[in-house]
């Protein structure tokens, strides 16, 4: 008996998400001792981050991370991502208040009735909505706060947490990876490359539709496997690791109060979307989104006649449910802080550029795409990667005799595709933490999809190079 107990105690347990982050933080610190420090000259920009000047790379004195740097980077990571962290906490709290009204469960009743025995239709509708948000760059980071909604939908369909995360997160990030009108990725990259803003929309829409359709098919294929036997999924006998209850969902009848609460939520999101595109002056950011959701909570409290004290209590409960995931955003950022302070990111970019330069147009475009994907594992910020990579990739496109528009697309897909598997992404790790999905289990689901995306991406680039997709 004692031997069996000791064996159970010694059984290897995969590290918690925070443990994974800390391991990568240590590896990043070690990398600052192994990779030479270097930097490019930069040019300031009024519309975004500073951009690097091609051909100006030089090796500089090494600045390796010390013990204090490692631990202080965690604090820096938390403070530098505070706007996103607080947005997640606020939206989590607001959804806690909305759920208290019964509006979410009433909506589930209608959705379940409408899509009865047609779970694929529900998956398609939700993924379509969030992919549109993603391709417009609206809720890419804030998608974390909608994961609880995805889990509720997955429970209503008797599936698992992976489906719950997929219909929200992968839906949004499919749109983000195939961005059509995202000003912070496609727009910013085109600006750096000297390509007309949002040019090539028709071709990008075609690629977006194809990629989304294939992604939906993959998620639906997995959902049918779960539908046959919920325990046959990747998560096994614990389809919802963060919730062991068997709560019946979708049993609440819709009332006028529920309708008004849901309309308040929809109206608030619509107002924010309009604000993002400058309908009220300057384009809105995460700060305005947080403010909009606070207003949604206030109006919901009034409509549902919830007492102020009870409303605050429900808000705290809702925020607490996403706290674990929200703080991971800062932890992931701390790794980038160490790499930036160690001055080794520019060295990585310079090495990528040297590897790509000798190849032909088609092979070069594909290597540019793959290289961006690998670099995205280190820097998962779309606009941040554009500022670092695009000033190098645009001139390389000229040398390799293919239009810069293709370089922008290679960057966009390289930036987007690996987001769903990099453990350095605060958004991904936060989503998994909220859903209780182990990172290794998620990789088992997501890696084949990333492989499919890369095959599609390579096909797209071969066609685009062949048609000399412009304008420049």
């Amino acid at each position: 008996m004692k031997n069996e107990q000791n064996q159970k105690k010694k059984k290897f347990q995969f590290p918690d998400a925070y443990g994974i982050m800390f391991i990568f933080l240590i590896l990043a610190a070690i990398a600052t001792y192994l990779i030479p420090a270097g930097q490019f000259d930069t040019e300031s920009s009024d519309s975004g981050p500073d951009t690097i000047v091609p051909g100006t790379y030089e090796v500089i004195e090494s600045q390796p991370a010390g013990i204090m740097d490692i631990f202080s980077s965690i604090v820096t990571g938390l403070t530098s991502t505070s706007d996103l962290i607080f947005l997640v906490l606020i939206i989590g709290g607001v959804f806690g208040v909305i759920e208290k009204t019964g509006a979410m469960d009433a909506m589930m009743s209608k959705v379940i009735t409408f899509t009865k025995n047609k779970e694929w239709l529900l998956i398609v509708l939700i993924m379509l909505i969030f992919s549109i948000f993603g391709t417009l760059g609206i809720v890419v980071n804030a998608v974390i706060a909608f994961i609880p909604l995805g889990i509720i939908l997955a429970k209503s369909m008797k599936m698992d947490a992976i489906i719950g995360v997929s219909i929200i997160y992968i839906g949004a990030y499919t749109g983000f990876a195939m961005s059509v009108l995202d000003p912070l990725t496609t727009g910013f990259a085109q600006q750096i490359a000297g390509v007309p803003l949002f040019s090539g929309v028709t071709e990008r829409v075609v690629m977006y539709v194809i990629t989304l359709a294939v992604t939906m098919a993959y998620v639906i294929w997995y959902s049918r496997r779960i539908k046959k036997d919920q325990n046959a999924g990747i998560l096994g006998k614990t389809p919802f690791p963060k919730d062991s209850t068997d709560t019946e969902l979708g049993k609440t009848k819709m009332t006028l109060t529920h309708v008004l609460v849901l309309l308040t939520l929809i109206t608030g999101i619509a107002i924010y979307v309009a604000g993002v595109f400058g309908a009220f002056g300057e384009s809105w950011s995460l700060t305005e989104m947080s403010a909009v959701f606070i207003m949604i909570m206030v109006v919901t409290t009034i409509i549902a006649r919830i007492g102020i004290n009870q409303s605050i209590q429900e808000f705290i409960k809702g925020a607490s449910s996403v706290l674990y995931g929200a703080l991971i955003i800062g932890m992931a950022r701390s790794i980038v802080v160490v790499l930036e302070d160690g001055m080794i990111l520019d060295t990585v970019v310079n090495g990528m550029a040297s590897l790509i330069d000798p190849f032909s147009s088609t092979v070069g475009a594909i290597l540019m795409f793959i290289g961006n994907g690998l670099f995205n594992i280190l820097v998962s910020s779309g606009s941040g990667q554009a500022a670092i990579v695009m000033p190098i990739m645009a001139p390389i496109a000229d040398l390799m005799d293919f239009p810069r528009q293709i370089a922008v697309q290679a960057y966009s897909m390289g930036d987007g595709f690996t987001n769903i598997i990099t453990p350095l992404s605060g958004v991904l790790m936060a989503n998994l933490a909220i859903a209780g999905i182990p990172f290794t289990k998620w990789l088992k689901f997501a890696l084949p999809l990333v492989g499919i995306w890369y095959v599609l991406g390579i096909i797209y680039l071969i066609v685009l190079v062949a048609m000399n997709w412009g304008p420049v």
Side-chain angles (χ1 to χ4, degrees):
M1 283 292 290
K2 287 184 178 180
N3 289 335
E4 289 180 5
Q5 289 176 350
N6 290 333
Q7 285 178 353
K8 287 181 179 179
K9 287 181 181 178
K10 291 179 180 179
K11 186 178 179 181
F12 174 77
Q13 288 186 330
F14 196 77
D16 178 86
Y18 283 93
I20 295 172
M21 292 288 96
F22 190 72
I23 290 170
F24 275 98
L25 180 60
I26 298 299
L27 291 175
I30 293 172
T32 62
Y33 288 87
L34 302 177
I35 300 175
Q39 66 177 7
F40 289 95
D41 292 341
T42 60
E43 291 181 346
S44 60
S45 172
D46 295 331
S47 57
D50 293 349
T51 58
I52 61 178
V53 179
T56 61
Y57 175 81
E58 61 178 356
V59 176
I60 61 174
E61 185 178 350
S62 179
Q63 301 181 42
I67 295 294
M68 184 57 71
D69 296 322
I70 293 172
F71 288 95
S72 63
S73 69
I74 298 174
V75 180
T76 303
L78 289 167
T79 54
S80 63
T81 56
S82 59
D83 55 348
L84 179 55
I85 291 172
F86 279 107
L87 171 64
V88 173
L89 293 174
I90 288 169
I91 296 181
V94 172
F95 268 98
V97 175
I98 292 173
E99 286 179 16
K100 180 63 179 178
T101 69
M104 298 303 295
D105 197 52
M107 183 184 73
M108 289 303 100
S109 299
K110 292 294 182 182
V111 169
I112 292 168
T113 300
F114 178 70
T115 59
K116 193 169 185 179
N117 299 321
K118 296 178 182 176
E119 288 83 3
W120 64 270
L121 179 59
L122 176 59
I123 291 171
V124 166
L125 289 175
I126 299 299
M127 290 188 72
L128 175 62
I129 291 169
F130 277 90
S131 72
I132 292 172
F133 286 160
T135 201
L136 298 176
I138 295 170
V139 294
V140 175
N141 289 326
V143 75
I144 303 167
F146 294 93
I147 295 302
L149 174 61
I151 299 298
I152 291 172
L153 289 168
K155 284 183 179 178
S156 72
M157 295 185 287
K158 292 181 170 53
M159 294 183 183
D160 68 3
I162 287 178
I163 290 294
V165 172
S166 296
I167 58 178
I168 304 291
Y169 172 65
I170 288 186
Y173 270 71
T174 302
F176 176 75
M178 305 307 297
S179 168
V180 177
L181 295 173
D182 184 349
L184 293 179
T185 54
T186 299
F188 184 48
Q190 287 181 323
Q191 183 184 51
I192 295 172
V195 177
L197 192 64
F198 298 128
S199 55
V201 168
T202 301
E203 290 84 357
R204 283 194 170 85
V205 168
V206 171
M207 289 185 284
Y208 158 69
V209 171
I210 293 172
T211 307
L212 179 60
V214 170
T215 306
M216 286 176 174
Y218 181 80
V219 175
I220 291 170
W221 164 80
Y222 179 77
S223 73
R224 287 183 173 174
R225 169 179 159 186
I226 300 296
K227 193 65 178 175
K228 291 179 181 178
D229 180 5
Q230 193 178 39
N231 295 333
I234 291 173
L235 296 177
K237 295 181 180 180
T238 55
F240 296 96
K242 275 293 182 74
D243 188 356
S244 59
T245 61
D246 295 321
T247 306
E248 284 292 322
L249 299 166
K251 300 295 183 182
T252 305
K253 290 185 178 180
M254 185 74 74
T255 65
L256 178 60
T257 298
H258 296 149
V259 171
L260 292 175
V261 168
L262 292 171
L263 284 175
T264 299
L265 176 62
I266 293 169
T267 302
I269 293 174
I271 289 172
Y272 174 71
V273 171
V276 167
F277 287 98
F280 309 108
E282 292 185 4
S283 297
W284 285 4
S285 64
L286 297 180
T287 301
E288 286 79 12
M289 189 174 190
S290 296
V292 166
F293 270 90
I294 292 173
M295 288 189 282
I296 290 171
M297 184 186 73
V298 171
V299 175
T300 297
T301 300
I302 295 171
I303 291 173
R305 297 180 182 179
I306 302 174
I308 293 176
N309 291 344
Q310 186 179 13
S311 177
I312 292 171
Q313 289 172 2
E314 296 302 328
F315 179 87
I316 296 299
K317 286 181 185 177
S320 298
S321 69
V322 296
L323 176 63
Y324 182 92
L327 294 181
I328 281 184
I329 298 168
M331 191 69 185
R333 174 61 189 168
S334 68
I335 298 165
V336 180
V337 169
V338 167
L339 295 175
E340 288 177 342
D341 291 349
M343 305 296 289
I344 63 174
L345 287 180
D346 283 4
T347 302
V348 175
V349 172
N350 187 61
M352 286 169 50
S354 300
L355 288 173
I356 293 171
D357 187 55
F359 293 94
S360 65
S361 297
T362 303
V363 174
I366 293 171
L367 288 176
M368 191 179 289
F369 162 47
I370 294 172
N372 277 324
L374 294 173
F375 187 67
N376 186 61
I377 293 175
L378 297 177
V379 182
S380 58
S381 165
S383 58
Q385 187 180 158
I388 296 170
V389 171
M390 281 310 302
I392 297 295
M393 297 309 174
I396 290 177
D398 296 340
L399 293 173
M400 304 184 76
D401 198 29
F402 61 81
R404 292 187 174 192
Q405 187 79 275
I406 296 174
V408 172
Q409 187 63 27
Y411 144 77
S412 180
M413 294 188 300
D415 169 51
F417 288 171
T418 52
N419 273 320
I420 70 167
I421 58 170
T422 172
L424 302 192
S425 168
V427 176
L428 169 61
M429 298 306 287
N431 290 336
L432 299 184
I434 291 169
I437 302 172
F439 180 67
T440 50
K441 299 283 188 181
W442 175 258
L443 275 184
K444 190 174 180 180
F445 171 80
L447 271 176
L449 178 59
V450 172
I452 293 169
W453 280 353
Y454 263 82
V455 170
L456 288 175
I458 290 170
I459 293 171
Y460 296 151
L461 290 173
I462 291 171
V463 173
L464 293 174
V465 172
M467 62 186 282
N468 202 39
W469 184 43
V472 293

